[in-house]
Amino acid sequence: MKTESIEIVVIEDEEDILELVEYHLQKSGYETMGFLSTKNVEQFLAEERPALMIVDRNLPDIEGSEFIAKLRKDGCNIPVIFLTAKDEESDLEEGFERGGDDYITKPFRPKELILRVEALLRRAGVISNNIIKHRDLVLNLNNRILTIDNISIELTNLEFKLLHTFVKKPNTTLDRDYLRDEVWEDDSYHFNDKTINVTLNRLKKKIDPYGEKNYFLPIWGVGYRLV
């Protein structure tokens, strides 16, 4: 089972630019799926629901805005940012008319791209609820930061996923099979009976170093509950 991460599709035929865009998106906490052409994109969209697409217009198989226009006719309403060297005023108009939601010309500034991504996701309602709380735990799902009493607590990606899984289902007993599928996913072959204990104990030492708050209640023979 996948956690509630934000996935962004990037379609860019220049591999170095594709890698650059994906790097900055991932650095900002997003998951990415990159394509060097539109081949296989429609199949991917039929199986997954990304939050946003970043699309070059100069693609090898079909012009990028024509591809988006086709998706729009088929009922796809995923927000789209065109990232392209086509910088004439008529190009910009054409991009918006064919279904684009924003338009950035190359060369681009990575920081501006990230800010525009965040703005579009807010308008789409994707990251309006990116803060989740339980007791004094505050998780920011956008930048994957935990704060307790306004103090940032450094967690590994695995620890953050584990805590997020519990915070989504407070006061609910989560068994080991559920935690394995939700947190470890494709790495479940690394999971054994001691894995959850080791990871949870490490997490508890970070968020409750003095053992005073007792966030987790062990349920003998089953799993744990966040209380």
Side-chain angles (χ1 to χ4, degrees):
M1 298 175 64
K2 296 187 71 175
T3 55
E4 296 173 355
S5 54
I6 298 176
E7 185 174 40
I8 297 176
V9 166
V10 184
I11 310 175
E12 166 61 63
D13 68 328
E14 294 187 46
E15 193 165 355
D16 56 340
I17 296 179
L18 176 63
E19 291 176 355
L20 177 66
V21 172
E22 288 197 278
Y23 168 77
H24 285 286
L25 289 170
Q26 292 168 8
K27 187 179 177 181
S28 298
Y30 301 104
E31 290 189 3
T32 65
M33 176 60 71
F35 295 89
L36 291 168
S37 72
T38 60
K39 183 181 179 182
N40 300 323
V41 172
E42 289 181 88
Q43 180 181 347
F44 176 82
L45 295 179
E47 299 171 356
E48 300 285 340
R49 182 67 181 178
L52 183 145
M53 292 192 289
I54 298 173
V55 183
D56 185 17
R57 292 190 60 183
N58 295 308
L59 297 173
D61 44 359
I62 181 175
E63 202 273 345
S65 68
E66 292 181 10
F67 177 67
I68 295 304
K70 179 179 180 297
L71 291 182
R72 294 292 190 242
K73 287 182 180 178
D74 293 338
C76 176
N77 60 359
I78 297 170
V80 170
I81 296 176
F82 286 118
L83 180 61
T84 176
K86 290 190 172 186
D87 59 358
E88 298 292 333
E89 186 174 337
S90 59
D91 294 324
L92 188 146
E93 292 175 0
E94 189 175 57
F96 280 105
E97 289 170 356
R98 289 178 173 175
D101 297 279
D102 202 349
Y103 201 100
I104 303 174
T105 57
K106 300 175 182 177
F108 67 97
R109 291 174 294 181
K111 182 61 176 177
E112 180 186 358
L113 174 63
I114 297 303
L115 290 173
R116 287 177 178 262
V117 164
E118 292 176 354
L120 186 51
L121 290 175
R122 282 196 299 271
R123 292 203 301 271
V126 175
I127 61 173
S128 59
N129 297 316
N130 63 335
I131 304 296
I132 184 170
K133 301 178 182 179
H134 178 78
R135 290 172 56 180
D136 57 354
L137 303 171
V138 181
L139 283 73
N140 186 316
L141 306 184
N142 187 33
N143 56 23
R144 304 182 76 79
I145 290 177
L146 166 70
T147 57
I148 301 176
D149 296 329
N150 294 318
I151 298 173
S152 295
I153 308 298
E154 186 173 340
L155 301 181
T156 66
N157 184 54
L158 183 63
E159 292 162 354
F160 189 93
K161 288 174 70 177
L162 180 60
L163 181 58
H164 181 206
T165 300
F166 277 104
V167 172
K168 287 189 295 183
K169 293 181 176 290
N171 302 306
T172 302
T173 300
L174 304 184
D175 63 34
R176 294 173 182 273
D177 288 341
Y178 179 85
L179 292 170
R180 179 196 61 208
D181 293 342
E182 185 76 6
V183 179
W184 277 263
E185 300 180 53
D186 295 336
D187 291 331
S188 59
Y189 60 88
H190 289 140
F191 188 96
N192 58 48
D193 288 343
K194 294 182 179 179
T195 301
I196 178 62
N197 298 341
V198 171
T199 308
L200 190 61
N201 285 335
R202 198 167 62 227
L203 174 62
K204 287 194 291 186
K205 287 180 181 179
K206 289 185 177 182
I207 66 175
D208 186 17
Y210 302 108
E212 299 172 340
K213 298 180 179 180
N214 298 315
Y215 292 110
F216 296 98
L217 176 67
I219 308 299
W220 180 255
V222 181
Y224 297 87
R225 179 186 302 163
L226 180 68
V227 295

